[in-house]
Amino acid sequence: MAYNLLKGKKGIIFGALNEQSIAWKVAEKCIEEGAEITMSNTALAYRMGEIKSFCEKHNVPFFAADATNVKEIEEVFKNSMNHFGGKIDFFLHSIGMSMNVRKSNKYDDLDYDYFLKTLDISALSFHKMLQVARKLDAINEWGSVVALTYIAAQRTFYRYNDMAEAKATLESIARSFGYIYGRDKKIRINTISQSPTLTTAGKGVKGMNNLMDFSDRMSPLGNATAEECADYCVTLFSDLTKKVTMQNLYHDGGFSSMGMSLKAMEIINKGYDCDHCDD
Ligand SMILES: NC(=O)c1ccc[n+]([C@@H]2O[C@H](COP(=O)([O-])OP(=O)(O)OC[C@H]3O[C@@H](n4cnc5c(N)ncnc54)[C@H](O)[C@@H]3O)[C@@H](O)[C@H]2O)c1
């Protein structure tokens, strides 16, 4: 059910790769809620074809950019403003990639060139987008910016690897830039810390299915899906959340407040297969 929450608003969605992508779901919901959008990803992602068909189906312009390249980011903002005939109201940063994760490099045996690339693609790109938007004065007052993150920024999650540092930096950028953009332009910046989700990036984390099962058992409301994440993003882009800024907002069914649950204890007990394991 749509509520027209984004009627008249214009925004850019960075990071939709395929139907599983969180950004894909956000793009769909934004359109459903009355927004006009443009989309961006790498040229390679576009050539893979799925975003192309999304854009054709919804009549949405696509502007290619490597998120580490400031000039290309500038073009995305300029082209989007040209397309809309004015400023935007929101953008979504939904981008993450680690070659160390992809190559299964252990945390105590990292490749440092890859590490820098992880930080550049997954965190500094957020600062680059915000800085470009600020210099171009691309976002209307009371606009809203959201980036996606994961709880491994706060707590250690085996195998999340150098992405943990990237997410910690990303969240910090939201706070630091959130102050400046809020003070000067009333623009809010938040991160959403999402449950593990089966997407292309998600599947890159080894043992993802077990992590999802554990997380689901630990969360009183269960894991949040990509669609539910998109709903939450829409509220943050809408005028209903005008005074929420510089926050890391957990969207995880309660996982972040849990220590141990009955459902998680059940599988641990089974694993120990012992007599003294009580519920
Ligand atoms: N899937 C999960 O479990 C999960 C949980 C919490 C947070 N997140 C975060 O959500 C965001 C979106 O990931 P997703 O799960 O939808 O996976 P996804 O693989 O669908 O999206 C990742 C996107 O990053 C883009 N990307 C990679 N390198 C890029 C570059 N150099 N320039 C521009 N774009 C680039 C990819 O093309 C892709 O569209 C990421 O920030 C991810 O860390 C994911």
Side-chain angles (χ1 to χ4, degrees):
M1 186 165 126
Y3 303 90
N4 259 340
L5 283 178
L6 303 182
K7 194 167 189 299
K9 294 200 184 294
K10 296 162 175 65
I12 308 174
I13 305 293
F14 289 92
L17 178 65
N18 53 34
E19 217 179 327
Q20 284 77 49
S21 299
I22 297 168
W24 182 289
K25 306 289 184 201
V26 177
E28 283 181 334
K29 289 275 176 188
C30 286
I31 295 169
E32 245 175 78
E33 289 295 335
E36 285 177 65
I37 58 165
T38 63
M39 292 178 82
S40 179
N41 206 320
T42 59
L44 175 66
Y46 191 69
R47 280 201 298 277
M48 286 163 73
E50 293 193 46
I51 321 165
K52 190 167 185 271
S53 46
F54 181 100
C55 290
E56 282 168 3
K57 179 177 167 198
H58 295 282
N59 202 15
V60 165
F62 176 88
F63 303 118
D66 186 309
T68 63
N69 184 317
V70 174
K71 285 267 165 290
E72 292 182 12
I73 295 170
E74 268 171 14
E75 288 308 308
V76 175
F77 277 91
K78 282 183 186 164
N79 286 329
S80 297
M81 285 197 287
N82 272 340
H83 168 75
F84 294 130
K87 298 184 194 183
I88 63 165
D89 301 288
F90 64 87
F91 79 79
L92 174 77
H93 178 288
S94 186
I95 293 172
M97 210 283 290
S98 161
M99 281 308 288
N100 279 311
V101 171
R102 280 200 185 174
K103 300 266 184 198
S104 300
N105 290 340
K106 297 249 157 57
Y107 189 74
D108 54 359
D109 190 23
L110 289 184
D111 178 302
Y112 290 114
D113 289 332
Y114 288 165
F115 195 169
L116 289 173
K117 203 76 192 149
T118 300
L119 293 175
D120 200 7
I121 293 175
S122 313
L124 300 198
S125 60
F126 190 40
H127 193 283
K128 290 175 182 177
M129 286 173 194
L130 288 164
Q131 188 161 298
V132 163
R134 175 95 178 85
K135 285 188 178 165
L136 293 174
D137 194 16
I139 310 180
N140 281 317
E141 284 205 358
W142 299 106
S144 172
V145 178
V146 171
L148 289 168
T149 186
Y150 184 54
I151 193 173
Q154 284 77 33
R155 305 198 196 152
T156 300
F157 279 77
Y158 178 57
R159 284 181 171 155
Y160 201 67
N161 217 320
D162 56 353
M163 278 299 289
E165 279 68 41
K167 292 306 191 192
T169 305
L170 183 86
E171 292 173 19
S172 180
I173 289 169
R175 286 185 291 272
S176 305
F177 227 115
Y179 165 61
I180 292 169
Y181 234 158
R183 181 195 65 193
D184 295 351
K185 291 279 173 183
K186 311 284 179 229
I187 288 161
R188 58 199 189 280
I189 308 178
N190 296 290
T191 51
I192 294 180
S193 188
Q194 163 69 5
S195 295
T197 317
L198 266 193
T199 60
T200 305
K203 286 177 207 158
V205 178
K206 283 229 162 47
M208 182 64 174
N209 285 327
N210 288 350
L211 176 68
M212 283 189 73
D213 180 65
F214 171 71
S215 170
D216 196 52
R217 285 169 185 273
M218 285 288 280
S219 312
L221 301 181
N223 285 337
T225 64
E227 288 82 1
E228 288 162 341
C229 186
D231 283 335
Y232 196 27
C233 285
V234 164
T235 65
L236 287 172
F237 293 149
S238 82
D239 290 337
L240 299 179
T241 52
K242 278 167 97 168
K243 291 286 173 74
V244 181
T245 193
M246 302 162 71
Q247 302 300 313
N248 181 44
L249 302 161
Y250 290 103
H251 183 255
D252 62 358
F255 178 85
S256 46
S257 289
M258 287 299 298
M260 180 49 75
S261 72
L262 178 60
K263 276 187 174 175
M265 193 53 104
E266 275 165 6
I267 43 163
I268 292 169
N269 286 351
K270 266 192 203 147
Y272 282 135
D273 194 23
C274 60
D275 298 334
H276 61 270
C277 296
D278 301 314
D279 280 350

